[in-house]
Amino acid sequence: EIVLTQSPATLSLSPGERATLSCRASQSVSSSLAWYQQKPGQPPRLLIYDASNRATGIPARFSGSGSGTDFTLTISSLEPEDFAVYYCQQRSNWPPGFTFGPGTKVEIK
Amino acid sequence: QVQVQQWGAGLLKPSETLSLTCAVYGGSFSGFYWSWVRQPPGKGLEWIGEINHGGSTNYNPSLKSRVTISVDTSKNQFSLSLKSVTAADTAVYYCAREDLVGATNAFDYWGQGTLVTVSS
């Protein structure tokens, strides 16, 4: 089973600052990694797939990078609506299923 | 436009069976796998299991003994049953569509979520 870890658990930043979030996999997932944003009371929203491709409608300030076991989600300049929790996710072929990282909360400093 | 709506009982007693249903409107139902994901209050996301239109399922090994996911293709609906619930099963339960986006299996459409509370 592939385990995803995320760091930091909490990131305290001001609007306009750059946010850098990390996701590490316990074994290689190639580039098959997704990132989600979740705001209170809402389901997660797909941001990034294939580690670096923005999903439909996602602003260009969101970018992803990495492959293998180390991945990064970068928000170039935080907007007020970006303060939320971010999860990484991968799918395993065996046993078949999905795992999520524990999440990084981006909060207003 | 794909819409995913879910419903089910929100308050259960320990040992009862959780039952939730998700309906899909718009888009294709048969071309995808459909999943259930849960989130305990203040915690992260946990995948429960998935089903396709043909009824093929996969479950999280940690829940497999208590979970059944079924499908009704005539109504474009799928359902979750979780038996013998305890307080540890208290969570918001989501249904979601899986899609192969690029080379990544990801969830692109989600239900609104149902808070299920287990309490005596």
Side-chain angles (χ1 to χ4, degrees):
Chain A
E1 177 189 343
I2 297 177
V3 176
L4 299 176
T5 56
Q6 292 185 243
S7 62
T10 303
L11 200 50
S12 298
L13 295 168
S14 300
E17 289 193 296
R18 182 184 188 89
T20 303
L21 290 67
S22 175
C23 176
R24 177 164 289 178
S26 59
Q27 57 186 279
S28 178
V29 298
S30 186
S31 295
S32 297
L33 186 103
W35 289 93
Y36 298 83
Q37 176 194 66
Q38 188 179 31
K39 298 179 182 179
Q42 297 183 17
R45 176 174 70 146
L46 178 64
L47 294 178
I48 300 286
Y49 65 93
D50 283 355
S52 62
N53 293 323
R54 282 188 300 278
T56 303
I58 302 304
R61 63 181 181 274
F62 291 93
S63 64
S65 63
S67 65
T69 60
D70 291 303
F71 301 88
T72 301
L73 174 69
T74 301
I75 310 170
S76 59
S77 178
L78 284 163
E79 296 287 340
E81 61 267 29
D82 299 337
F83 291 91
V85 180
Y86 293 83
Y87 295 95
C88 56
Q89 168 255 306
Q90 67 85 33
R91 181 183 173 92
S92 299
N93 290 325
W94 191 259
F98 292 84
T99 54
F100 293 90
T104 291
K105 182 179 182 180
V106 178
E107 65 176 23
I108 299 176
K109 185 175 182 179
Chain B
Q1 177 72 350
V2 177
Q3 294 187 40
V4 183
Q5 292 185 354
Q6 60 182 99
W7 63 88
L11 181 60
L12 297 173
K13 291 182 167 53
S15 79
E16 292 185 335
T17 297
L18 178 157
S19 292
L20 298 172
T21 298
C22 188
V24 180
Y25 303 98
S28 170
F29 183 78
S30 62
F32 298 92
Y33 268 83
W34 301 88
S35 271
W36 290 95
V37 176
R38 70 179 183 179
Q39 185 172 38
K43 296 188 178 181
L45 301 163
E46 179 181 34
W47 178 75
I48 299 170
E50 65 184 0
I51 193 165
N52 69 2
H53 72 284
S56 178
T57 56
N58 292 301
Y59 299 125
N60 187 322
S62 68
L63 297 168
K64 187 174 184 176
S65 63
R66 298 193 292 131
V67 173
T68 302
I69 297 176
S70 58
V71 66
D72 184 342
T73 55
S74 68
K75 297 180 180 178
N76 284 3
Q77 294 178 1
F78 61 106
S79 298
L80 170 68
S81 176
L82 179 67
K83 63 183 181 183
S84 305
V85 297
T86 70
D89 295 310
T90 293
V92 175
Y93 287 75
Y94 295 101
C95 56
R97 188 181 85 168
E98 301 169 29
D99 195 8
L100 182 61
V101 191
T104 302
N105 291 91
F107 302 106
D108 58 354
Y109 288 96
W110 295 72
Q112 76 275 19
T114 301
L115 174 60
V116 177
T117 302
V118 181
S119 174
S120 56

